[in-house]
Amino acid sequence: MRERDKKLLEFLEESGAYLHTLLMRLTLPEDISEELMQELFIKLSCLRDLDGITSLRAYAQRTAINLAFDWRRKNRQNAVKITEIDKPISKEASPLTKLIQDEELEKVLDVMGRLKGAGRQVVVMRYIQQQSYDFIAEQLGKTSHQVRALCHKALSQIRVLLEGNHYQVNRKRLDNV
Amino acid sequence: MSKFDEKEIRHKLEIISQIKPTSQSTGRALEKVRRALISEEERDSNTNLWSKFKKSRVTRLAAAAVIIMAIGILIFPHRPAERTKPPEVLEVTKSPADLLTVASLSIAYRRGGIVEVERQCDEAIEKLGRRETKVSIQELFTEFNGT
Amino acid sequence: MKSINSNNLTKTICIVLVMFVSAPAVFADTPDNAALLYYQAFLLYEKPDDTMDKMLSDFLDDKIKANEVIEQYIEKNRKVIDFIITAADTPSCDWGYDYSQGLELAMPNLAQLRQVTYLMQTEAKLLAEQADYRMALEHCLSMHKMALHSADSTIVGYLVAIAISGRANSTIQDILKDTAEDLQTLDWLRNQVDKISERFPQFETVIQHEQNTLGIYMTRERFYELISNEGLVEEPSLLKIAQERFLAADEQFFTRNRDYWQSHFAAVKAALDKPYSQAFAELQRVGNKAKSDVIENPNATATAILAGPFDRVYSLSVRLRTHLNSVGAAIDIYQIKAKTGQLPDSLPADSPKDLFSGKDFEYEKTTEGFILRCQGKNLARNEIHEYEFKVPK
């Protein structure tokens, strides 16, 4: 077996579960996260000079996030509702509250897909993958301070997008030509 | 839709962070990838045979070219002593400003098309060179004080 | 008195405070003129050294794969990219050219604009590799918008715009295969490509501008500038003829040269109304006529020196538009594939056309995807262009 494939298989054993969990949190259906895992590793095996990557995990994570949001955008109508999968349910919440909550979760995920690369990645790593600022900073080659600032900015953007306004900086890009 | 504040958003994200795939699903995902990687490796090893063959042909051709050149050098040796030196020409080099006028770029286009225009732009950039984008406070004080 | 004065003072202070509070807040808003943002980007951009330059060039030519050195280089220029994106999205761009300088007008911004376009193209490729296709395509559209800003009406600006747009089209071509099943992105992209196509300046605009701006040389003073500055007239024999004629020139000489110049451009504009092959032939004929007339006809002197190779620039303009049309037609095909799962057997109705022939592209399915081939030849290069598009396996 080639060195490259050995390296990828080792990487799969080491980080596969983590990446699969990440994909699932962002897309939700099990079969989709399984498919995207394949796509991710095929991309890694075809496109990259693996030896030139300091952190394969950081690179794979970034690509996985992009693949997941790409899928969400293409398949928004068919996206599985959060009610259909296992998640911790608030015991006190009424069915109507739960329904509203699920829709709002979908909206948050959809809106996150509209953020620019670094902001989106930082929000996913911090709030969905529950990683520390220091760890994220190390993965992205930035300082903790920069990561905090990116996080704060991204959350602001999410808030504004959810409220139906275009974020000032992104306005022209979202409106396009 | 209720009005969101950032605390709400973080709370929603926390809910998402608690979603976990089943171990069977993760197992299936990893197995599919393993199989995909192995089958790709098998496919590539077949094409590798072909690329090895091509490489070896290329290597043979390259070796042949070197031999032919070597023979050429033996038959027609280079005799630097007999070559007459070309007269020295004083080259007047153009500044970046000169290279980037309408006239200069238009002439470049007539000479060599858009490729020549682009080459001339690159030449001008080369001459402009790399420059500092930051100046330290200390440097500024030194300039002002002349020390 | 004292209390009245202190009351007045208090009133004044209150009025001033109210004015400060009610004054509009100063927002750090982006300027209306994209050129200001571009110039800031150019000042921040650090030209790569030779090694890095070669690496980037090889990456863009697909000779090497992406690596961390390239990624770090992009990150180092993050602020430059941010400025460029904002600039590209700003509708108006005034570079501040003084066209009265004629041929001596320097346009250093064009060289810098090309450099930062490479930066955008590099990041577009990196983003596509990391599956961020939408952002990669956004970068390509930014490149198109940069091209629109470059095309100020001078021939040189137009040429640089064509080069930049051409690169944007090629990068879109590469990325399209990865978005082949994403109907939403395809719909959006098709819409954007149509808008770019509408906004790209017509060649006629450039011709008119040339006629106006270079027409300034039809006076004694400006003609003297033309023939006494070595860098402005390329052909030594033509320069010699012009200098000799100038020495003997009266005012009628300049009037007649102006008239010849106007009639030259009238013929050029008339040619552009025709289909491509006829237009090209006519532009060649008109261009050659000025060069041959000048030997015997003093009225053709200024035109022979100043008139550009319009036939070749026209062909380039048609080539760019055709390339853009091929991208539009390809998106139509991808849309059908996304809906039906199969490539169509024929080109969809009303797809954008090959402008060399005025007809539809020839559509040929291949093992990798499909090819769109022009039915007319690019007469400047004696070549038939074809554009390959891939589909995912």
Side-chain angles (χ1 to χ4, degrees):
Chain A
M1 183 177 276
R2 294 179 307 174
E3 264 319 300
R4 172 189 198 79
D5 296 317
K6 273 190 200 158
K7 187 168 179 176
L8 278 174
L9 282 171
E10 272 167 25
F11 177 65
L12 179 68
E13 300 315 319
E14 195 184 282
S15 302
Y18 170 84
L19 290 168
H20 181 241
T21 306
L22 169 62
L23 284 167
M24 200 185 167
R25 285 172 180 165
L26 297 179
T27 57
L28 304 176
E30 283 187 342
D31 54 342
I32 297 302
S33 55
E34 287 164 26
E35 263 180 45
L36 289 181
M37 270 292 282
Q38 268 197 76
E39 210 177 307
L40 171 64
F41 273 81
I42 288 172
K43 243 186 171 355
L44 289 176
S45 71
C46 288
L47 294 176
R48 267 276 156 159
D49 171 18
L50 291 180
D51 294 331
I53 303 178
T54 313
S55 172
L56 186 53
R57 181 154 153 151
Y59 180 81
Q61 183 169 245
R62 191 162 64 240
T63 309
I65 291 170
N66 289 336
L67 282 170
F69 282 110
D70 203 46
W71 178 86
R72 284 199 76 83
R73 206 190 48 254
K74 283 187 256 191
N75 297 279
R76 195 173 286 135
Q77 289 157 359
N78 301 329
V80 167
K81 296 286 178 219
I82 285 179
T83 37
E84 293 173 24
I85 57 126
D86 287 334
K87 72 163 173 40
I89 294 168
S90 162
K91 287 179 185 155
E92 289 129 18
S94 70
L96 181 62
T97 309
K98 284 178 207 168
L99 191 63
I100 292 167
Q101 197 171 52
D102 291 340
E103 282 198 11
E104 286 174 352
L105 289 176
E106 288 287 349
K107 279 179 180 145
V108 168
L109 280 172
D110 285 345
V111 146
M112 274 170 67
R114 295 168 76 185
L115 298 179
K116 275 191 203 179
R120 181 171 74 189
Q121 195 179 349
V122 158
V123 161
V124 168
M125 289 170 78
R126 174 76 188 132
Y127 295 110
I128 293 182
Q129 297 297 87
Q130 302 275 299
Q131 286 158 347
S132 69
Y133 286 122
D134 288 340
F135 180 78
I136 297 170
E138 196 195 305
Q139 295 282 291
L140 300 187
K142 295 185 188 300
T143 63
S144 293
H145 181 74
Q146 285 170 329
V147 170
R148 274 174 213 272
L150 271 170
C151 240
H152 177 72
K153 193 172 170 183
L155 281 180
S156 267
Q157 287 176 329
I158 293 173
R159 180 181 53 76
V160 169
L161 286 169
L162 285 168
E163 284 171 3
N165 300 318
H166 292 296
Y167 183 68
Q168 295 296 318
V169 167
N170 277 337
R171 179 181 57 210
K172 285 163 185 165
R173 296 226 59 189
L174 292 170
D175 289 349
N176 291 303
V177 180
Chain B
M1 188 185 11
S2 59
K3 194 167 160 50
F4 280 99
D5 64 14
E6 285 177 20
K7 220 168 156 182
E8 264 298 300
I9 293 168
R10 275 193 219 116
H11 176 63
K12 307 286 178 223
L13 293 173
E14 204 190 312
I15 295 173
I16 295 170
S17 76
Q18 285 160 37
I19 295 170
K20 281 187 172 70
T22 60
S23 51
Q24 293 96 316
S25 170
T26 301
R28 271 197 309 270
L30 298 188
E31 188 50 37
K32 277 185 188 172
V33 172
R34 263 184 226 110
R35 274 194 252 123
L37 283 174
I38 290 167
S39 68
E40 196 179 286
E41 196 268 338
E42 277 171 0
R43 195 171 49 242
D44 281 351
S45 71
N46 291 335
T47 55
N48 273 349
L49 287 172
W50 174 237
S51 56
K52 275 180 194 162
F53 172 73
K54 274 189 345 186
K55 265 190 198 168
S56 67
R57 272 201 72 193
V58 166
T59 314
R60 287 205 299 272
L61 279 170
V66 166
I67 290 165
I68 289 167
M69 275 172 60
I71 291 169
I73 289 166
L74 285 171
I75 293 172
F76 304 106
H78 176 65
R79 292 183 203 137
E82 289 182 16
R83 286 179 88 189
T84 51
K85 261 189 185 173
E88 270 185 28
V89 173
L90 200 64
E91 199 183 307
V92 177
T93 53
K94 285 186 170 177
S95 71
D98 292 332
L99 288 169
L100 295 171
T101 60
V102 169
S104 189
L105 290 171
S106 299
I107 288 169
Y109 180 71
R110 284 170 216 246
R111 212 169 37 226
I114 203 161
V115 167
E116 184 60 21
V117 169
E118 296 201 282
R119 191 209 61 77
Q120 191 155 303
C121 285
D122 287 343
E123 189 186 333
I125 292 287
E126 194 63 44
K127 286 176 192 253
L128 285 166
R130 302 174 75 219
R131 58 179 183 280
E132 291 298 320
T133 54
K134 289 175 193 163
V135 175
S136 75
I137 304 281
Q138 186 55 47
E139 281 171 352
L140 286 169
F141 273 118
T142 308
E143 265 186 50
F144 283 134
N145 294 331
T147 53
Chain C
M1 187 71 83
K2 205 177 172 180
S3 65
I4 290 169
N5 280 344
S6 76
N7 275 344
N8 280 343
L9 179 61
T10 311
K11 259 194 218 169
T12 310
I13 289 169
C14 285
I15 288 165
V16 167
L17 278 173
V18 164
M19 279 172 66
F20 269 119
V21 164
S22 61
V26 176
F27 293 108
D29 209 350
T30 51
D32 289 338
N33 183 4
L36 294 175
L37 295 162
Y38 283 124
Y39 284 130
Q40 287 180 76
F42 299 157
L43 287 168
L44 286 172
Y45 177 64
E46 197 180 321
K47 186 189 168 311
D49 61 27
D50 290 342
T51 312
M52 192 69 225
D53 205 26
K54 173 94 179 37
M55 190 186 290
L56 293 170
S57 179
D58 286 346
F59 173 62
L60 288 176
D61 290 338
D62 291 321
K63 288 179 185 162
I64 60 167
K65 296 182 182 181
N67 57 53
E68 280 198 347
V69 175
I70 294 175
E71 280 186 351
Q72 278 162 16
Y73 171 76
I74 291 293
E75 274 319 302
K76 204 170 148 189
N77 284 288
R78 179 55 54 203
K79 271 205 156 22
V80 177
I81 293 173
D82 287 346
F83 267 116
I84 294 297
I85 288 171
T86 311
D89 283 336
T90 306
S92 161
C93 184
D94 179 1
W95 296 105
Y97 294 138
D98 176 7
Y99 291 113
S100 69
Q101 293 177 30
L103 290 171
E104 290 179 278
L105 172 66
M107 303 171 92
N109 52 305
L110 296 183
Q112 301 275 18
L113 195 66
R114 276 187 64 253
Q115 288 288 308
V116 297
T117 309
Y118 286 126
L119 203 56
M120 294 295 283
Q121 193 182 4
T122 304
E123 193 174 42
K125 279 195 74 153
L126 286 174
L127 287 166
E129 187 187 283
Q130 290 162 22
D132 201 349
Y133 307 118
R134 181 69 176 244
M135 191 61 75
L137 290 169
E138 294 256 17
H139 273 37
C140 294
L141 292 173
S142 289
M143 286 167 68
H144 271 303
K145 291 175 205 172
M146 290 160 74
L148 293 176
H149 286 151
S150 164
D152 68 306
S153 307
T154 57
I155 278 204
V156 170
Y158 197 68
L159 288 172
V160 172
I162 287 174
I164 294 174
S165 265
R167 273 206 294 284
N169 283 338
S170 298
T171 313
I172 292 176
Q173 231 177 305
D174 288 337
I175 298 171
L176 269 175
K177 70 176 181 314
D178 293 313
T179 59
E181 281 145 24
D182 182 352
L183 202 52
Q184 198 193 36
T185 296
L186 290 171
D187 287 345
W188 160 80
L189 186 62
R190 184 69 168 86
N191 182 257
Q192 297 303 305
V193 164
D194 280 349
K195 286 181 182 176
I196 294 286
S197 209
E198 276 165 37
R199 283 174 58 185
F200 204 89
Q202 295 289 337
F203 186 55
E204 286 79 347
T205 319
V206 176
I207 293 297
Q208 187 61 57
H209 182 91
E210 285 285 288
Q211 183 179 359
N212 296 343
T213 50
L214 298 184
I216 61 174
Y217 288 102
M218 306 298 154
T219 64
R220 183 179 290 277
E221 296 75 23
R222 297 309 295 259
F223 193 87
Y224 177 70
E225 265 175 44
L226 190 62
I227 60 173
S228 54
N229 186 330
E230 272 182 26
L232 299 184
V233 183
E234 195 189 9
E235 292 175 44
S237 57
L238 190 52
L239 180 61
K240 191 159 177 277
I241 292 172
Q243 285 169 340
E244 282 166 5
R245 286 179 180 164
F246 177 77
L247 289 170
D250 58 8
E251 284 313 307
Q252 286 300 311
F253 172 81
F254 299 105
T255 309
R256 285 192 290 263
N257 265 270
R258 202 178 303 127
D259 291 342
Y260 189 100
W261 175 254
Q262 307 293 12
S263 67
H264 176 84
F265 275 90
V268 166
K269 287 175 201 170
L272 295 177
D273 286 334
K274 300 180 178 168
Y276 168 75
S277 53
Q278 290 171 42
F280 180 82
E282 183 60 13
L283 288 172
Q284 253 190 340
R285 188 195 69 77
V286 170
N288 291 338
K289 183 173 182 302
K291 294 268 188 263
S292 59
D293 276 357
V294 75
I295 311 292
E296 298 294 334
N297 183 358
N299 302 342
T301 312
T303 303
I305 293 170
L306 291 168
F310 297 136
D311 53 337
R312 286 160 59 194
V313 181
Y314 172 65
S315 273
L316 269 178
S317 151
V318 170
R319 183 179 172 183
L320 172 73
R321 289 181 179 285
T322 299
H323 194 178
L324 204 44
N325 281 1
S326 78
V327 169
I331 295 173
D332 289 346
I333 293 168
Y334 281 120
Q335 282 169 323
I336 292 176
K337 183 172 189 319
K339 288 174 191 162
T340 65
Q342 308 264 358
L343 285 174
D345 291 327
S346 60
L347 214 51
D350 297 330
S351 272
K353 298 196 185 305
D354 153 35
L355 296 175
F356 287 108
S357 63
K359 299 177 183 167
D360 287 339
F361 288 98
E362 264 177 28
Y363 166 60
E364 181 194 328
K365 287 196 232 182
T366 64
T367 48
E368 303 261 2
F370 58 93
I371 288 177
L372 295 174
R373 193 176 290 110
C374 292
Q375 294 205 54
K377 201 186 261 195
N378 177 344
L379 296 170
R381 294 170 62 96
N382 197 28
E383 194 180 329
I384 291 184
H385 298 295
E386 57 181 48
Y387 309 97
E388 189 182 2
F389 297 88
K390 296 189 179 170
V391 294
K393 289 184 182 155

